[in-house]
Amino acid sequence: MFKKFISISIVLLIIAIGFFQKDELIVLIKQGGSLSIFLSMLLVAICVFFPIIPFPILAGIIGAVFGTAQGAAISLAGAMAGTMGFFFLSRYGFRDYAQEKLKKYPKVQEYEGYLNRHSFLAILTCRLIPVIPAPVVNLICGLSNVRWLAFFTASTIGKIPNILILSFAGASFSSNKMFSFGLYGLYLLIIFLINFVIVYRRARKN
């Protein structure tokens, strides 16, 4: 009970900081400097728990402020800090409660079984091709027998393409807005088509 109380308190605190301080954090991030690097990571990590700012917009802003390479590194570090926090809270804080909730979704339980057999490949695929929403992946992996190192490695590799594209689009936004929108739009179109093919093939099999 105490562990669950602590976990809930941490999550609520994270959400409260992001919700009430997001405008101030964005202003400080745009100023650049050492402090804004830390604040950028913090805000990205918060958005893993509660998307107070759409991640494409936030990663684009960070890319515009710090450039493609540094912006991508900052966004990735923040995203993985939040992702691992979500993972460990699911595993050690809300395990019993979350398992009861997941029993209502048999399809999710099927994925959990596959995950336990092919953890690295399953997580990597979900990160590269987001068929399943990222928070659900974090939750299921936290409840499963997946080792944290495999989860961390697969998630990091899988997040890199999206973050790189967003950072590059953000860095290019001031000089060529149409190019930035077009680049990310093309990426989303490719992801949509891949998802469509996967869903269509599953429907055909059923």
Side-chain angles (χ1 to χ4, degrees), residues 25-40:
L25 290 172
I26 288 292
V27 170
L28 291 172
I29 288 171
K30 289 180 177 179
Q31 292 177 359
S34 300
L35 178 61
S36 65
I37 292 176
F38 170 76
L39 293 176
S40 297

Side-chain angles (χ1 to χ4, degrees), residues 79-90:
M80 288 311 303
T83 297
M84 294 309 296
F86 201 132
F87 174 84
F88 286 120
L89 280 172
S90 299

Side-chain angles (χ1 to χ4, degrees), residues 125-168:
T125 302
C126 285
R127 298 306 189 190
L128 290 171
I129 309 169
V131 178
I132 301 175
V136 178
V137 175
N138 299 337
L139 179 62
I140 296 173
C141 290
L143 298 176
S144 70
N145 297 320
V146 173
R147 294 182 178 180
W148 73 266
L149 184 58
F151 175 78
F152 175 82
T153 306
S155 294
T156 301
I157 295 172
K159 287 176 180 290
I160 288 174
N162 182 42
I163 289 177
L164 270 177
I165 291 171
L166 286 170
S167 300
F168 182 66

